[in-house]
Amino acid sequence: MTGQRIAGTDRSSDPDRVAAAITDRGTALRDGLEDLVDGIADADVVLLGEASHGTSEYYRLRAEISARLLADHGFEFVAVEGDWTDCFDVTEYVTGRSDADSARNVLESFERWPTWMWANREVVEFLDWLADRNADRERGERVGFYGLDVYSLYESMAAVIDYLEDLDPELAARARDAYHCFEPYGEDAREYAQSIRLVPEDCEDEVLEVLRSLREDVAEQRTDAAGQSAEDGDDDPLSDFAAEQNALVAKNAESYYREMARGGSESWNVRDRHMSESLERLLEFHDGPGIVWAHNTHVGDARATTMRDRGKLNLGQLAREEICADDSDVACVGFGSHRGSVIAGDEWGASMERIRVPEAKTGSLEAVFHRSDLEDAIVRFDRGYGTADDEDPLADPRGHRAIGVVYDPEYEGGNYVRTVLPDRYDAFVHVDQTESLHPLGLEGGETPPETYPWGL
């Protein structure tokens, strides 16, 4: 049913009728935030989106919602659209495993473009709050901040070898030999992708063998050393988990870059399947519910958009279909705004800058939310895909703005994804006017946002 709505034409609902439905069913943001948290707190997975990677309000609201879920509802971890290796440095800081004295010191070491996604004042505030909260908890009960993404091919390979050097030097040597497959391509994974496009030979078997060997041999090492580790008090399952995750990243990153070279939608699918597999591993490792921060295009169910028509799936869809036993175990929260400013680059790899975000395109979801009587609003829907009522004005397919790390407002018309809102998300948060992030190292980035309502 949803696919037919997406593929067909709009029913041309009167925008005023849609705006009236938002006013009737929505709640002012500050009045409805607590109810939103309570309404999603029973989920096993809470997916918190964003309509751009450079908007302050999205980060601050996700931090506030996450803090309430962690403090009041027993959530166990936060996982984000970031590299595993970089974010594991963050986890070591917030769980008291590193010598870093602030989140800022850790985030300033992030080098992969776009650095502003995580090296910003908003994330610093949240992570220092998280570190303070963790300090009063047992080591095994501390909340981590993990990366779900697949880009860190070379960094993850190096981390696997470093881990194995002490545990099993022979296996470390075997891993080093296997990873030599990548040496002709330097340390640029995109160069690897370009090379295998021209010369169709890849390193898939090598990285898969390392993952297989690590899982088998390290499991045996852990079993043999279990008694001694327990006596010494040095056993840290998180280190073992991280090593295996790095080997998984290497395997899936190789697949991602190989598919990227071939073109088409499969590289996107490899990436989101990796995010899904990583999230499932974290849920099993922590044996408790988790929170995800990622772009709307990852967390909002792809089946309720034209992404499906292009052969793309995403994390939100996989969470509902595969990770959780029932749609009701997943809560997808989308975010959007009508106008404001954003941090982005004008091309891939370009310097970050503040860019004006114009008023949303006429007829878009953001435009009809702007027409409602609620300036900043939360609208909640029935949990799960396929629950939208055909008679619901909010179920009409409309363009939904999506801004990436590369943005040019001159081409604003191409930044909209046709969406059935109640099927894509379980709740939607609209902030009518937003401001850009406060990146570390950018002029003006040191200006702190207003004090968080939860005490930071």
Side-chain angles (χ1 to χ4, degrees), residues 3-30:
Q4 294 174 348
R5 284 203 298 266
I6 286 291
T9 58
D10 288 349
R11 292 181 298 168
S12 300
S13 285
D14 178 357
D16 288 331
R17 175 171 173 261
V18 181
I22 293 169
T23 301
D24 181 58
R25 294 171 52 185
T27 307
L29 176 58
R30 278 294 143 202

Side-chain angles (χ1 to χ4, degrees), residues 7 14 40 70 73 79 87 107 174 197 224 231 233 265 311 321 338 375 386 389 392 420 453:
D14 178 357
I40 62 178
L70 294 168
H73 298 285
C87 291
L107 296 175
R174 286 163 50 196
R197 184 178 67 84
D224 293 344
E231 292 173 6
S265 63
E321 287 186 317
H338 178 57
E375 184 175 18
D389 183 347
D392 181 357
V420 175

Side-chain angles (χ1 to χ4, degrees), residues 184 246 267 346:
N246 274 310
S267 63
D346 60 9

Side-chain angles (χ1 to χ4, degrees), residues 263-321:
S265 63
E266 192 54 33
S267 63
W268 172 280
N269 292 343
V270 168
R271 185 180 172 209
D272 273 58
R273 285 198 178 279
H274 172 78
M275 291 186 186
S276 175
E277 184 176 5
S278 300
L279 175 58
E280 195 163 15
R281 280 172 42 78
L282 285 167
L283 289 166
E284 182 179 354
F285 178 75
H286 282 280
D287 193 24
I291 304 162
V292 173
W293 296 8
H295 199 280
N296 288 340
T297 50
H298 294 292
V299 306
D301 196 320
R303 294 172 295 177
T305 75
T306 47
M307 294 170 64
R308 183 175 70 171
D309 300 335
R310 302 195 298 272
K312 290 184 176 182
L313 47 75
N314 69 0
L315 177 59
Q317 173 184 345
L318 294 170
R320 286 173 166 177
E321 287 186 317

Side-chain angles (χ1 to χ4, degrees), residues 90-101:
V90 173
T91 287
E92 291 190 307
Y93 162 68
V94 298
T95 59
R97 291 174 167 85
S98 79
D99 296 329
D101 57 9

Side-chain angles (χ1 to χ4, degrees), residues 6 10 50-52 58 295-297 302 304-310 312 335-340 356-370 396-404 406-421 424-425 428 430-432 434:
I6 286 291
D10 288 349
E50 59 182 354
S52 86
Y58 302 152
H295 199 280
N296 288 340
T297 50
T305 75
T306 47
M307 294 170 64
R308 183 175 70 171
D309 300 335
R310 302 195 298 272
K312 290 184 176 182
F335 290 77
S337 63
H338 178 57
R339 66 193 185 281
R356 183 184 67 87
V357 178
E359 292 187 352
K361 184 179 175 182
T362 301
S364 66
L365 286 165
E366 292 77 8
V368 294
F369 267 83
H370 176 67
D396 292 347
R398 291 185 178 274
H400 178 12
R401 181 150 56 189
I403 295 174
V406 175
Y407 179 59
D408 184 348
E410 295 297 320
Y411 297 96
E412 173 70 12
N415 290 322
Y416 291 80
V417 179
R418 192 171 168 85
T419 292
V420 175
L421 191 68
R424 187 171 181 181
Y425 307 115
F428 186 72
H430 176 80
V431 182
D432 202 60
T434 53

